[in-house]
Amino acid sequence: MNKIIILLFLFICHIPIMYAQNAIGILCTDFKINNENTPEGTGFRRSTESVLSNIKNPPIIIDRDNLQDLIIKIQDEINLNKDLNISQVKELKAAKVDYVMYANFDKKLTSINYDLQIQCIRISGENAFSIKAFPIISFTEKELTNSEIFRKKLFEMFNNYAFTPDFDIIENKQLEEIKQRLDKKDQEIKNLNQNVTDLKNYSHVAMLNLKGVELEYGYDFTGWKTELYNLMESVLITNNVGTYFKVDESSLKILDEVILKYPNFPFGYSGMALILLQLGKPNWKEYANKALKILQVTIAIEGHNIIHDKVFQQLTMYLELDKKGMKFKFGDNPSKN
């Protein structure tokens, strides 16, 4: 093991690097055939570096041709470590090397194919000397002489992988699954924050009745009628049958003012929706959906006024009937002209 460490260190000390923030550094070695160095090994290695540089999630390819710059960087790091009394360097930060890639063509006498075996050995960090082995790719002798076919087969294999600092070498399919889970968690956190905001913004609104107050007092009491109450009372009629919105243009104008001044109050929107529906106006659904968006929050708040449930159910029913293409028939409304 010590011999391997020394050889790897000597090998790396002669290689400079180009680096980025969102990938891991890969040092590619010359390819071998039956574990022997060949003149063609450098060409295969360079083709592989080209392929790796063009995949979907590429690694950082170590520049082997700029020796002097890297030697200076590593020597500076060694000197700094000595000055700081650091006895062991866990990562080669100056070199930015994470993995060394080895490749060998295995050609048996009984076979007409060359089986390409590629492995990456981690040389830094906590998982140093762990190995990532890629699927074996078979080539005929004729295919090996065709650089286009060689690069195409490598690209098809490597393009299934991502070289990331967070997950090292991982299949793109696994990376996407992880990203989806992280996105789902982010959305859950976002929804939780939104729920907290909704509770804060609508906790009081949930307690209000159609007229915008929690309680209505008799004429003996004064000062409890708010501007919202006065506006809503002017568009509502209550009798022994129930409470109705006045179906006229004047009510629409007043509800416009309610929506403008009290955008979190759901019954301004629901009133607009119900009046426009009875007038046969198609834009009633726009206001119904706005009301429902607020009511979905208020009916989830403990202690909310029961009228929120009733209006929610009423608007939901009308929208569902509209989707089915059914005609509406309203009961007697003493306010409708």
Side-chain angles (χ1 to χ4, degrees), residues 74-126:
I74 292 180
Q75 189 59 54
D76 288 343
E77 183 172 355
I78 292 172
N79 293 337
L80 180 60
N81 290 330
K82 287 181 179 178
D83 292 340
L84 297 175
N85 295 319
I86 299 175
S87 59
Q88 184 177 1
V89 182
K90 291 186 177 181
E91 296 187 28
L92 296 173
K93 296 183 179 180
K96 302 292 182 183
V97 179
D98 297 298
Y99 281 91
V100 175
M101 179 176 286
Y102 295 93
N104 178 63
F105 289 104
D106 185 42
K107 172 68 168 66
K108 299 207 170 35
L109 293 176
T110 57
S111 174
I112 61 173
N113 290 332
Y114 290 79
D115 291 335
L116 176 59
Q117 301 170 329
I118 300 178
Q119 293 182 337
C120 282
I121 299 179
R122 195 174 232 299
I123 61 167
S124 64
E126 296 180 356

Side-chain angles (χ1 to χ4, degrees), residues 12 97 115 190 196 198 226 254 274 279 286 299 325 333 337:
I12 292 164
V97 179
D115 291 335
K190 183 178 179 181
V196 172
D198 289 342
T226 64
I254 294 172
L274 293 171
L279 292 174
E286 175 187 344
I299 62 177
N333 183 338
N337 296 327

Side-chain angles (χ1 to χ4, degrees), residues 35 42 82 111 117 148-149 169 171 239 291:
N35 296 310
T42 300
K82 287 181 179 178
S111 174
Q117 301 170 329
E148 184 177 343
I149 293 177
I169 303 172
E171 290 187 36
N239 59 19

Side-chain angles (χ1 to χ4, degrees), residues 142-156:
K142 184 177 180 180
E143 287 175 333
L144 285 181
T145 61
N146 188 319
S147 59
E148 184 177 343
I149 293 177
F150 176 76
R151 287 194 293 268
K152 182 176 183 294
K153 284 194 172 185
L154 277 186
F155 181 84
E156 289 174 351

